[in-house]
């Protein structure tokens, strides 16, 4: 019988795939990072418990092109500064990716809020433009010009906070209690330049980052970096406390309530 591709993989095949994924080479990206101070009440309002606001109400937009072997990837995020259990980090609200392959692992393994979108990083001499767009709206755009090189930072460890959950089959909440994930990244930088410019936030009902106004730009940079990524579950969280924030994950705020009528097949293409 010919190989049935939807059939079970052998233990040898599973082990070989796991070994291959554990030996990925360093992958470098070129990206623009903009950090600004926003309204502290707004930043606090988007943080699900048990996350708490950081000492400063910072927002970070990260817009990158990634040199993946065989296919280019655009990747971005908009995150707010947060802290949990004495650890400072970032809570991403949206993470646009240009390829579906980049969505699955991050969403299903780590609980990252990834969505398909458009990512632009353009440089013409000293002039730089970077943007994140979905549904035809460039909801974040960074524009400016490189004015100087910056000293390379030492390798650093950064933390992102994610909530991993599984919506309930009957639409009533979650099948099991959600978990809070600490995702740590070891980052190395090989080139870094400072940009003088501005950040433009455009209204989008799907990605309402315009609610996080730019009060003062802290820094805009363009650089080349590589990171690894490891995650761990630190605690189970209250389903009732997290439920009011679940609309952050979906374009349709009612999507988590999309339980099929009793007796239907539940099929959704």
């Amino acid at each position: 019988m010919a190989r049935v591709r939807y059939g079970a993989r052998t233990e040898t095949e599973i082990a070989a795939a796991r070994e291959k994924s554990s030996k990925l080479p360093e992958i470098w990206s070129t990206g623009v990072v903009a950090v600004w101070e926003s309204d502290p009440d707004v930043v606090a309002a988007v943080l699900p418990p048990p996350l708490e606001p950081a000492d400063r109400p910072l927002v970070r937009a990260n817009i990158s092109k990634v040199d993946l072997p065989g296919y280019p990837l655009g990747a971005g995020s908009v995150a707010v500064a947060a802290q949990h259990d004495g650890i400072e980090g970032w809570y991403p609200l949206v993470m646009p990716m240009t390829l579906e392959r980049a969505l699955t692992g991050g969403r299903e393994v780590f609980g990252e809020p990834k969505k398909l979108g458009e990512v632009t990083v353009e440089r013409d001499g000293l002039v730089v433009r970077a943007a994140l767009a979905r549904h035809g709206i460039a909801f974040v755009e960074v524009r400016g010009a490189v004015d100087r090189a910056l000293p390379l930072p030492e390798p650093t460890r950064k933390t992102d906070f994610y909530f991993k959950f599984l919506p309930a089959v009957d639409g009533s909440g979650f099948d099991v209690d959600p978990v809070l994930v600490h995702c740590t990244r070891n980052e190395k930088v090989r080139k870094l330049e400072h940009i003088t410019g501005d950040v433009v936030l455009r209204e989008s009902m799907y990605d309402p980052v315009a609610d996080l106004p730019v009060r003062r730009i802290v820094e805009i940079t363009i650089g080349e970096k590589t990171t690894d990524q490891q995650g761990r579950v630190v605690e189970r969280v209250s389903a009732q406390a997290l439920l009011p924030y679940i609309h952050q994950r979906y374009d349709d705020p009612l999507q988590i309530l999309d339980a099929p009528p009793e007796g239907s097949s539940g099929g959704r293409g």
Side-chain angles (χ1 to χ4, degrees), residues 42-77:
V42 174
V43 171
V46 303
L47 291 173
L51 298 183
E52 298 178 341
D55 293 337
R56 296 175 68 188
L58 299 180
V59 184
R60 181 191 68 190
N62 194 328
I63 309 170
S64 300
K65 285 187 174 179
V66 187
D67 297 328
L68 287 176
Y71 56 94
L73 168 68
S77 69

PDB file of all heavy atoms in Angstrom, residues 42-77:
ATOM      1  N   VAL A  42      -4.397  53.643  30.200  1.00  0.00           N
ATOM      2  CA  VAL A  42      -4.695  52.788  29.059  1.00  0.00           C
ATOM      3  C   VAL A  42      -3.832  51.531  29.096  1.00  0.00           C
ATOM      4  O   VAL A  42      -4.314  50.420  28.863  1.00  0.00           O
ATOM      5  CB  VAL A  42      -4.490  53.558  27.742  1.00  0.00           C
ATOM      6  CG1 VAL A  42      -4.655  52.617  26.550  1.00  0.00           C
ATOM      7  CG2 VAL A  42      -5.475  54.710  27.635  1.00  0.00           C
ATOM      8  N   VAL A  43      -2.550  51.697  29.368  1.00  0.00           N
ATOM      9  CA  VAL A  43      -1.664  50.533  29.451  1.00  0.00           C
ATOM     10  C   VAL A  43      -2.147  49.572  30.524  1.00  0.00           C
ATOM     11  O   VAL A  43      -2.194  48.355  30.320  1.00  0.00           O
ATOM     12  CB  VAL A  43      -0.212  50.978  29.719  1.00  0.00           C
ATOM     13  CG1 VAL A  43       0.670  49.775  30.023  1.00  0.00           C
ATOM     14  CG2 VAL A  43       0.346  51.738  28.519  1.00  0.00           C
ATOM     15  N   ALA A  44      -2.526  50.094  31.679  1.00  0.00           N
ATOM     16  CA  ALA A  44      -3.019  49.231  32.757  1.00  0.00           C
ATOM     17  C   ALA A  44      -4.307  48.523  32.344  1.00  0.00           C
ATOM     18  O   ALA A  44      -4.532  47.362  32.718  1.00  0.00           O
ATOM     19  CB  ALA A  44      -3.250  50.058  34.020  1.00  0.00           C
ATOM     20  N   ALA A  45      -5.142  49.195  31.552  1.00  0.00           N
ATOM     21  CA  ALA A  45      -6.444  48.636  31.191  1.00  0.00           C
ATOM     22  C   ALA A  45      -6.345  47.421  30.281  1.00  0.00           C
ATOM     23  O   ALA A  45      -7.262  46.596  30.253  1.00  0.00           O
ATOM     24  CB  ALA A  45      -7.301  49.711  30.516  1.00  0.00           C
ATOM     25  N   VAL A  46      -5.245  47.281  29.519  1.00  0.00           N
ATOM     26  CA  VAL A  46      -5.143  46.162  28.568  1.00  0.00           C
ATOM     27  C   VAL A  46      -4.466  44.935  29.177  1.00  0.00           C
ATOM     28  O   VAL A  46      -4.345  43.906  28.511  1.00  0.00           O
ATOM     29  CB  VAL A  46      -4.400  46.582  27.288  1.00  0.00           C
ATOM     30  CG1 VAL A  46      -5.086  47.761  26.628  1.00  0.00           C
ATOM     31  CG2 VAL A  46      -2.930  46.878  27.551  1.00  0.00           C
ATOM     32  N   LEU A  47      -4.032  45.022  30.427  1.00  0.00           N
ATOM     33  CA  LEU A  47      -3.280  43.926  31.042  1.00  0.00           C
ATOM     34  C   LEU A  47      -4.209  42.992  31.817  1.00  0.00           C
ATOM     35  O   LEU A  47      -4.780  43.382  32.835  1.00  0.00           O
ATOM     36  CB  LEU A  47      -2.216  44.476  31.991  1.00  0.00           C
ATOM     37  CG  LEU A  47      -1.052  45.218  31.338  1.00  0.00           C
ATOM     38  CD1 LEU A  47      -0.171  45.862  32.397  1.00  0.00           C
ATOM     39  CD2 LEU A  47      -0.232  44.272  30.467  1.00  0.00           C
ATOM     40  N   PRO A  48      -4.352  41.743  31.382  1.00  0.00           N
ATOM     41  CA  PRO A  48      -5.141  40.784  32.156  1.00  0.00           C
ATOM     42  C   PRO A  48      -4.405  40.403  33.440  1.00  0.00           C
ATOM     43  O   PRO A  48      -3.175  40.298  33.441  1.00  0.00           O
ATOM     44  CB  PRO A  48      -5.248  39.569  31.214  1.00  0.00           C
ATOM     45  CG  PRO A  48      -4.831  40.070  29.861  1.00  0.00           C
ATOM     46  CD  PRO A  48      -3.863  41.166  30.120  1.00  0.00           C
ATOM     47  N   PRO A  49      -5.116  40.181  34.532  1.00  0.00           N
ATOM     48  CA  PRO A  49      -4.463  39.692  35.742  1.00  0.00           C
ATOM     49  C   PRO A  49      -3.965  38.263  35.523  1.00  0.00           C
ATOM     50  O   PRO A  49      -4.550  37.534  34.718  1.00  0.00           O
ATOM     51  CB  PRO A  49      -5.586  39.736  36.788  1.00  0.00           C
ATOM     52  CG  PRO A  49      -6.860  39.711  35.999  1.00  0.00           C
ATOM     53  CD  PRO A  49      -6.563  40.392  34.698  1.00  0.00           C
ATOM     54  N   PRO A  50      -2.843  37.909  36.140  1.00  0.00           N
ATOM     55  CA  PRO A  50      -2.136  38.622  37.204  1.00  0.00           C
ATOM     56  C   PRO A  50      -1.045  39.576  36.729  1.00  0.00           C
ATOM     57  O   PRO A  50      -0.203  39.982  37.538  1.00  0.00           O
ATOM     58  CB  PRO A  50      -1.515  37.466  37.992  1.00  0.00           C
ATOM     59  CG  PRO A  50      -1.186  36.449  36.946  1.00  0.00           C
ATOM     60  CD  PRO A  50      -2.306  36.536  35.942  1.00  0.00           C
ATOM     61  N   LEU A  51      -1.007  39.944  35.432  1.00  0.00           N
ATOM     62  CA  LEU A  51      -0.024  40.915  34.972  1.00  0.00           C
ATOM     63  C   LEU A  51      -0.325  42.283  35.571  1.00  0.00           C
ATOM     64  O   LEU A  51      -1.480  42.646  35.777  1.00  0.00           O
ATOM     65  CB  LEU A  51      -0.028  40.999  33.445  1.00  0.00           C
ATOM     66  CG  LEU A  51       0.344  39.733  32.676  1.00  0.00           C
ATOM     67  CD1 LEU A  51       0.369  40.022  31.179  1.00  0.00           C
ATOM     68  CD2 LEU A  51       1.671  39.161  33.135  1.00  0.00           C
ATOM     69  N   GLU A  52       0.746  43.025  35.829  1.00  0.00           N
ATOM     70  CA  GLU A  52       0.621  44.366  36.386  1.00  0.00           C
ATOM     71  C   GLU A  52       1.422  45.341  35.537  1.00  0.00           C
ATOM     72  O   GLU A  52       2.371  44.947  34.848  1.00  0.00           O
ATOM     73  CB  GLU A  52       1.122  44.393  37.832  1.00  0.00           C
ATOM     74  CG  GLU A  52       0.328  43.506  38.779  1.00  0.00           C
ATOM     75  CD  GLU A  52       0.889  43.534  40.181  1.00  0.00           C
ATOM     76  OE1 GLU A  52       2.069  43.931  40.341  1.00  0.00           O
ATOM     77  OE2 GLU A  52       0.149  43.160  41.116  1.00  0.00           O
ATOM     78  N   PRO A  53       1.070  46.630  35.570  1.00  0.00           N
ATOM     79  CA  PRO A  53       1.846  47.610  34.799  1.00  0.00           C
ATOM     80  C   PRO A  53       3.288  47.697  35.283  1.00  0.00           C
ATOM     81  O   PRO A  53       3.571  47.503  36.472  1.00  0.00           O
ATOM     82  CB  PRO A  53       1.098  48.928  35.058  1.00  0.00           C
ATOM     83  CG  PRO A  53      -0.265  48.520  35.517  1.00  0.00           C
ATOM     84  CD  PRO A  53      -0.089  47.226  36.246  1.00  0.00           C
ATOM     85  N   ALA A  54       4.183  47.988  34.368  1.00  0.00           N
ATOM     86  CA  ALA A  54       5.572  48.244  34.725  1.00  0.00           C
ATOM     87  C   ALA A  54       5.688  49.644  35.321  1.00  0.00           C
ATOM     88  O   ALA A  54       4.702  50.384  35.423  1.00  0.00           O
ATOM     89  CB  ALA A  54       6.463  48.102  33.495  1.00  0.00           C
ATOM     90  N   ASP A  55       6.893  50.016  35.706  1.00  0.00           N
ATOM     91  CA  ASP A  55       7.088  51.319  36.322  1.00  0.00           C
ATOM     92  C   ASP A  55       6.806  52.468  35.360  1.00  0.00           C
ATOM     93  O   ASP A  55       6.402  53.552  35.780  1.00  0.00           O
ATOM     94  CB  ASP A  55       8.525  51.440  36.847  1.00  0.00           C
ATOM     95  CG  ASP A  55       8.787  50.490  38.011  1.00  0.00           C
ATOM     96  OD1 ASP A  55       7.807  50.087  38.671  1.00  0.00           O
ATOM     97  OD2 ASP A  55       9.956  50.150  38.246  1.00  0.00           O
ATOM     98  N   ARG A  56       7.042  52.230  34.053  1.00  0.00           N
ATOM     99  CA  ARG A  56       6.769  53.255  33.042  1.00  0.00           C
ATOM    100  C   ARG A  56       5.737  52.713  32.054  1.00  0.00           C
ATOM    101  O   ARG A  56       5.787  51.530  31.688  1.00  0.00           O
ATOM    102  CB  ARG A  56       8.048  53.636  32.287  1.00  0.00           C
ATOM    103  CG  ARG A  56       9.112  54.278  33.149  1.00  0.00           C
ATOM    104  CD  ARG A  56      10.378  54.511  32.331  1.00  0.00           C
ATOM    105  NE  ARG A  56      10.197  55.523  31.291  1.00  0.00           N
ATOM    106  CZ  ARG A  56      11.114  55.782  30.344  1.00  0.00           C
ATOM    107  NH1 ARG A  56      12.240  55.086  30.306  1.00  0.00           N
ATOM    108  NH2 ARG A  56      10.882  56.717  29.431  1.00  0.00           N
ATOM    109  N   PRO A  57       4.811  53.552  31.584  1.00  0.00           N
ATOM    110  CA  PRO A  57       3.770  53.102  30.657  1.00  0.00           C
ATOM    111  C   PRO A  57       4.288  53.060  29.214  1.00  0.00           C
ATOM    112  O   PRO A  57       3.918  53.879  28.370  1.00  0.00           O
ATOM    113  CB  PRO A  57       2.680  54.156  30.843  1.00  0.00           C
ATOM    114  CG  PRO A  57       3.440  55.409  31.163  1.00  0.00           C
ATOM    115  CD  PRO A  57       4.622  54.963  31.994  1.00  0.00           C
ATOM    116  N   LEU A  58       5.137  52.082  28.931  1.00  0.00           N
ATOM    117  CA  LEU A  58       5.799  52.011  27.637  1.00  0.00           C
ATOM    118  C   LEU A  58       5.047  51.089  26.675  1.00  0.00           C
ATOM    119  O   LEU A  58       4.452  50.092  27.081  1.00  0.00           O
ATOM    120  CB  LEU A  58       7.234  51.500  27.795  1.00  0.00           C
ATOM    121  CG  LEU A  58       8.177  52.353  28.653  1.00  0.00           C
ATOM    122  CD1 LEU A  58       9.553  51.705  28.716  1.00  0.00           C
ATOM    123  CD2 LEU A  58       8.260  53.780  28.120  1.00  0.00           C
ATOM    124  N   VAL A  59       5.112  51.448  25.406  1.00  0.00           N
ATOM    125  CA  VAL A  59       4.597  50.619  24.321  1.00  0.00           C
ATOM    126  C   VAL A  59       5.740  50.409  23.343  1.00  0.00           C
ATOM    127  O   VAL A  59       6.536  51.333  23.095  1.00  0.00           O
ATOM    128  CB  VAL A  59       3.402  51.284  23.608  1.00  0.00           C
ATOM    129  CG1 VAL A  59       2.832  50.349  22.544  1.00  0.00           C
ATOM    130  CG2 VAL A  59       2.332  51.680  24.607  1.00  0.00           C
ATOM    131  N   ARG A  60       5.810  49.203  22.789  1.00  0.00           N
ATOM    132  CA  ARG A  60       6.898  48.877  21.852  1.00  0.00           C
ATOM    133  C   ARG A  60       6.321  48.287  20.572  1.00  0.00           C
ATOM    134  O   ARG A  60       5.522  47.340  20.624  1.00  0.00           O
ATOM    135  CB  ARG A  60       7.855  47.861  22.481  1.00  0.00           C
ATOM    136  CG  ARG A  60       9.033  47.463  21.590  1.00  0.00           C
ATOM    137  CD  ARG A  60       9.761  46.269  22.170  1.00  0.00           C
ATOM    138  NE  ARG A  60       8.920  45.068  22.118  1.00  0.00           N
ATOM    139  CZ  ARG A  60       9.219  43.911  22.719  1.00  0.00           C
ATOM    140  NH1 ARG A  60      10.308  43.810  23.447  1.00  0.00           N
ATOM    141  NH2 ARG A  60       8.419  42.872  22.610  1.00  0.00           N
ATOM    142  N   ALA A  61       6.719  48.847  19.437  1.00  0.00           N
ATOM    143  CA  ALA A  61       6.402  48.262  18.138  1.00  0.00           C
ATOM    144  C   ALA A  61       7.683  47.681  17.562  1.00  0.00           C
ATOM    145  O   ALA A  61       8.699  48.384  17.463  1.00  0.00           O
ATOM    146  CB  ALA A  61       5.817  49.300  17.190  1.00  0.00           C
ATOM    147  N   ASN A  62       7.622  46.405  17.193  1.00  0.00           N
ATOM    148  CA  ASN A  62       8.772  45.711  16.615  1.00  0.00           C
ATOM    149  C   ASN A  62       8.374  45.246  15.219  1.00  0.00           C
ATOM    150  O   ASN A  62       7.405  44.493  15.065  1.00  0.00           O
ATOM    151  CB  ASN A  62       9.147  44.519  17.502  1.00  0.00           C
ATOM    152  CG  ASN A  62      10.510  43.961  17.161  1.00  0.00           C
ATOM    153  OD1 ASN A  62      10.927  43.996  16.017  1.00  0.00           O
ATOM    154  ND2 ASN A  62      11.197  43.429  18.162  1.00  0.00           N
ATOM    155  N   ILE A  63       9.093  45.690  14.193  1.00  0.00           N
ATOM    156  CA  ILE A  63       8.727  45.420  12.806  1.00  0.00           C
ATOM    157  C   ILE A  63       9.959  44.896  12.090  1.00  0.00           C
ATOM    158  O   ILE A  63      10.938  45.630  11.911  1.00  0.00           O
ATOM    159  CB  ILE A  63       8.194  46.697  12.120  1.00  0.00           C
ATOM    160  CG1 ILE A  63       7.084  47.344  12.970  1.00  0.00           C
ATOM    161  CG2 ILE A  63       7.700  46.386  10.714  1.00  0.00           C
ATOM    162  CD1 ILE A  63       6.665  48.718  12.492  1.00  0.00           C
ATOM    163  N   SER A  64       9.929  43.625  11.653  1.00  0.00           N
ATOM    164  CA  SER A  64      11.146  42.970  11.176  1.00  0.00           C
ATOM    165  C   SER A  64      10.927  42.148   9.922  1.00  0.00           C
ATOM    166  O   SER A  64       9.837  41.637   9.669  1.00  0.00           O
ATOM    167  CB  SER A  64      11.705  42.039  12.268  1.00  0.00           C
ATOM    168  OG  SER A  64      12.022  42.751  13.445  1.00  0.00           O
ATOM    169  N   LYS A  65      12.004  42.014   9.162  1.00  0.00           N
ATOM    170  CA  LYS A  65      12.109  41.023   8.101  1.00  0.00           C
ATOM    171  C   LYS A  65      13.114  39.978   8.555  1.00  0.00           C
ATOM    172  O   LYS A  65      14.215  40.309   8.990  1.00  0.00           O
ATOM    173  CB  LYS A  65      12.566  41.669   6.792  1.00  0.00           C
ATOM    174  CG  LYS A  65      11.481  42.473   6.088  1.00  0.00           C
ATOM    175  CD  LYS A  65      11.954  42.937   4.714  1.00  0.00           C
ATOM    176  CE  LYS A  65      10.826  43.617   3.946  1.00  0.00           C
ATOM    177  NZ  LYS A  65      11.284  44.089   2.606  1.00  0.00           N
ATOM    178  N   VAL A  66      12.719  38.717   8.433  1.00  0.00           N
ATOM    179  CA  VAL A  66      13.518  37.621   8.988  1.00  0.00           C
ATOM    180  C   VAL A  66      14.098  36.788   7.850  1.00  0.00           C
ATOM    181  O   VAL A  66      13.379  36.399   6.922  1.00  0.00           O
ATOM    182  CB  VAL A  66      12.661  36.724   9.908  1.00  0.00           C
ATOM    183  CG1 VAL A  66      13.533  35.704  10.617  1.00  0.00           C
ATOM    184  CG2 VAL A  66      11.907  37.576  10.932  1.00  0.00           C
ATOM    185  N   ASP A  67      15.408  36.491   7.935  1.00  0.00           N
ATOM    186  CA  ASP A  67      16.088  35.712   6.903  1.00  0.00           C
ATOM    187  C   ASP A  67      15.948  34.221   7.187  1.00  0.00           C
ATOM    188  O   ASP A  67      16.909  33.553   7.583  1.00  0.00           O
ATOM    189  CB  ASP A  67      17.577  36.091   6.848  1.00  0.00           C
ATOM    190  CG  ASP A  67      17.785  37.542   6.463  1.00  0.00           C
ATOM    191  OD1 ASP A  67      16.958  38.056   5.689  1.00  0.00           O
ATOM    192  OD2 ASP A  67      18.758  38.154   6.930  1.00  0.00           O
ATOM    193  N   LEU A  68      14.758  33.690   6.978  1.00  0.00           N
ATOM    194  CA  LEU A  68      14.550  32.255   7.151  1.00  0.00           C
ATOM    195  C   LEU A  68      15.037  31.521   5.915  1.00  0.00           C
ATOM    196  O   LEU A  68      14.822  31.975   4.787  1.00  0.00           O
ATOM    197  CB  LEU A  68      13.071  31.948   7.377  1.00  0.00           C
ATOM    198  CG  LEU A  68      12.502  32.330   8.746  1.00  0.00           C
ATOM    199  CD1 LEU A  68      11.008  32.052   8.782  1.00  0.00           C
ATOM    200  CD2 LEU A  68      13.206  31.566   9.848  1.00  0.00           C
ATOM    201  N   PRO A  69      15.683  30.356   6.082  1.00  0.00           N
ATOM    202  CA  PRO A  69      16.179  29.610   4.931  1.00  0.00           C
ATOM    203  C   PRO A  69      15.041  29.206   3.994  1.00  0.00           C
ATOM    204  O   PRO A  69      14.092  28.550   4.396  1.00  0.00           O
ATOM    205  CB  PRO A  69      16.824  28.367   5.572  1.00  0.00           C
ATOM    206  CG  PRO A  69      17.116  28.761   6.981  1.00  0.00           C
ATOM    207  CD  PRO A  69      16.036  29.727   7.361  1.00  0.00           C
ATOM    208  N   GLY A  70      15.122  29.650   2.745  1.00  0.00           N
ATOM    209  CA  GLY A  70      14.153  29.216   1.752  1.00  0.00           C
ATOM    210  C   GLY A  70      12.969  30.132   1.550  1.00  0.00           C
ATOM    211  O   GLY A  70      12.323  30.082   0.508  1.00  0.00           O
ATOM    212  N   TYR A  71      12.639  30.957   2.541  1.00  0.00           N
ATOM    213  CA  TYR A  71      11.503  31.869   2.354  1.00  0.00           C
ATOM    214  C   TYR A  71      11.634  33.043   3.325  1.00  0.00           C
ATOM    215  O   TYR A  71      11.999  32.865   4.487  1.00  0.00           O
ATOM    216  CB  TYR A  71      10.171  31.140   2.580  1.00  0.00           C
ATOM    217  CG  TYR A  71      10.021  30.467   3.918  1.00  0.00           C
ATOM    218  CD1 TYR A  71       9.402  31.118   4.980  1.00  0.00           C
ATOM    219  CD2 TYR A  71      10.509  29.183   4.138  1.00  0.00           C
ATOM    220  CE1 TYR A  71       9.261  30.512   6.210  1.00  0.00           C
ATOM    221  CE2 TYR A  71      10.376  28.569   5.368  1.00  0.00           C
ATOM    222  CZ  TYR A  71       9.748  29.230   6.401  1.00  0.00           C
ATOM    223  OH  TYR A  71       9.623  28.613   7.622  1.00  0.00           O
ATOM    224  N   PRO A  72      11.348  34.244   2.834  1.00  0.00           N
ATOM    225  CA  PRO A  72      11.410  35.424   3.709  1.00  0.00           C
ATOM    226  C   PRO A  72      10.160  35.515   4.576  1.00  0.00           C
ATOM    227  O   PRO A  72       9.085  35.069   4.193  1.00  0.00           O
ATOM    228  CB  PRO A  72      11.473  36.585   2.713  1.00  0.00           C
ATOM    229  CG  PRO A  72      10.753  36.063   1.512  1.00  0.00           C
ATOM    230  CD  PRO A  72      11.019  34.582   1.455  1.00  0.00           C
ATOM    231  N   LEU A  73      10.322  36.105   5.732  1.00  0.00           N
ATOM    232  CA  LEU A  73       9.213  36.253   6.672  1.00  0.00           C
ATOM    233  C   LEU A  73       9.170  37.674   7.177  1.00  0.00           C
ATOM    234  O   LEU A  73      10.196  38.236   7.560  1.00  0.00           O
ATOM    235  CB  LEU A  73       9.381  35.282   7.853  1.00  0.00           C
ATOM    236  CG  LEU A  73       8.465  35.507   9.066  1.00  0.00           C
ATOM    237  CD1 LEU A  73       7.017  35.193   8.707  1.00  0.00           C
ATOM    238  CD2 LEU A  73       8.921  34.679  10.254  1.00  0.00           C
ATOM    239  N   GLY A  74       7.979  38.255   7.194  1.00  0.00           N
ATOM    240  CA  GLY A  74       7.762  39.513   7.881  1.00  0.00           C
ATOM    241  C   GLY A  74       7.120  39.223   9.225  1.00  0.00           C
ATOM    242  O   GLY A  74       6.172  38.435   9.316  1.00  0.00           O
ATOM    243  N   ALA A  75       7.650  39.830  10.272  1.00  0.00           N
ATOM    244  CA  ALA A  75       7.162  39.549  11.621  1.00  0.00           C
ATOM    245  C   ALA A  75       7.127  40.839  12.420  1.00  0.00           C
ATOM    246  O   ALA A  75       8.036  41.669  12.323  1.00  0.00           O
ATOM    247  CB  ALA A  75       8.070  38.529  12.319  1.00  0.00           C
ATOM    248  N   GLY A  76       6.075  41.005  13.200  1.00  0.00           N
ATOM    249  CA  GLY A  76       5.972  42.218  14.001  1.00  0.00           C
ATOM    250  C   GLY A  76       5.175  41.997  15.268  1.00  0.00           C
ATOM    251  O   GLY A  76       4.552  40.947  15.462  1.00  0.00           O
ATOM    252  N   SER A  77       5.198  43.000  16.121  1.00  0.00           N
ATOM    253  CA  SER A  77       4.397  42.951  17.344  1.00  0.00           C
ATOM    254  C   SER A  77       4.205  44.353  17.883  1.00  0.00           C
ATOM    255  O   SER A  77       5.014  45.251  17.633  1.00  0.00           O
ATOM    256  CB  SER A  77       5.060  42.071  18.414  1.00  0.00           C
ATOM    257  OG  SER A  77       6.243  42.681  18.905  1.00  0.00           O
TER     258      SER A  77
END
